[in-house]
Amino acid sequence: MEGVRFWLALIALAPLLMAQARRARRETPRLPEAGGADHGQAGAGPVATRLLVVGESTAAGVGVAEHHQGLGGQLARALHARSARTVGWRVTGVNGIRARALADRLAAEPPPEADLVVISLGVNDTTGLTRPGRYQADLRALIDALRRDRPSLPVALLSVPPMQHFTALPRPLRQVLGLRAARLDRAQRALAARLEGVQHLAYPVIADPAYLAEDGYHPGERGYAYIADRVADTLAARLTPCR
């Protein structure tokens, strides 16, 4: 029933939503993916735990100049601060990618070495109107690709960002996208509940505009640090040594 209400609202508001979406694309600055090394480590000495962050623009570091300022580098530093372990980090992110495309991409490559994976996806599947069941299946394919050589690899699914709080988007577009994002996140949460070793992480809402990049859409360096700090306690409990 909820899905029916969403589609009825989408159809009724379609002309307005399309106009707002075109205007948002035209007026929102197009920020590049982060530059610099896509890997590094937090702490001195041999790496004790390997962190891999995969996903869309947040994994790709859109909103900061270099990857060490983005989600991967910030998470590694937050985990090192809580565990005193040296954490090696690597990011595999593609701006604009959906779950299925990322699953196919990673399935065609050697599996990255990791002891903990954080997946950050959902915005592009939201705007692309991916069905919840299809999104869930695509996430499962992605997790299988990451785990094909290590079935017990711990995986954390960062929840689909609450797009109703994306103030750079006009109303009612952001409310409609927020409803869709919430549906995809429920599918993601249900998948995590079914799979052993997979955990759902709530997405910290960024209310302070100072934590956002210049596009008002992606986190800036302070925003990525804020997200990392909010989820690090939960992730630190799952750290395992390198093999």
Side-chain angles (χ1 to χ4, degrees):
M1 182 60 69
E2 180 184 16
V4 172
R5 287 198 298 267
F6 169 82
W7 286 107
L8 289 175
L10 186 67
I11 293 169
L13 295 171
L16 174 60
L17 297 177
M18 290 178 65
Q20 289 187 333
R22 286 194 297 268
R23 181 177 179 181
R25 283 195 296 268
R26 185 173 62 250
E27 297 182 353
T28 302
R30 305 288 291 181
L31 301 182
E33 297 181 1
D38 63 0
H39 61 280
Q41 72 178 58
V47 171
T49 301
R50 299 163 298 186
L51 169 70
L52 174 66
V53 177
V54 302
E56 53 191 2
S57 58
T58 46
V62 174
V64 293
E66 297 194 352
H67 284 293
H68 70 85
Q69 301 167 305
L71 187 59
Q74 299 282 9
L75 268 177
R77 287 190 288 276
L79 292 173
H80 170 65
R82 285 159 174 78
S83 67
R85 295 182 181 185
T86 298
V87 179
W89 61 270
R90 181 175 295 276
V91 296
T92 297
V94 182
N95 190 15
I97 203 165
R98 298 192 200 183
R100 169 51 61 178
L102 185 59
D104 292 343
R105 179 186 179 116
L106 290 176
E109 302 172 352
E113 294 183 348
D115 302 295
L116 172 65
V117 177
V118 174
I119 297 174
S120 179
L121 280 168
V123 169
N124 296 295
D125 282 284
T126 297
T127 59
L129 300 180
T130 302
R131 293 181 295 105
R134 177 75 265 168
Y135 180 65
Q136 192 177 78
D138 294 344
L139 278 178
R140 176 63 187 266
L142 173 59
I143 293 169
D144 288 346
L146 290 164
R147 284 178 153 182
R148 63 187 181 273
D149 287 347
R150 187 176 169 188
S152 62
L153 176 65
V155 174
L157 297 173
L158 188 60
S159 65
V160 180
M163 296 188 71
Q164 69 272 19
H165 297 298
F166 284 17
T167 55
L169 298 174
R171 300 172 186 265
L173 178 61
R174 60 185 165 107
Q175 278 75 21
V176 172
L177 291 176
L179 289 172
R180 192 63 179 176
R183 287 200 71 207
L184 293 191
D185 192 55
R186 284 194 289 276
Q188 182 169 281
R189 189 188 299 267
L191 178 65
R194 291 203 308 268
L195 298 179
E196 186 173 353
V198 178
Q199 179 177 25
H200 181 274
L201 294 174
Y203 192 97
V205 176
I206 299 177
D208 188 343
Y211 284 24
L212 296 175
E214 62 182 286
D215 62 357
Y217 189 81
H218 291 93
E221 183 173 4
R222 293 172 67 186
Y224 284 118
Y226 174 80
I227 294 170
D229 185 65
R230 291 302 183 275
V231 303
D233 285 336
T234 300
L235 289 175
R238 309 192 70 193
L239 292 183
T240 56
C242 290
R243 296 187 176 185

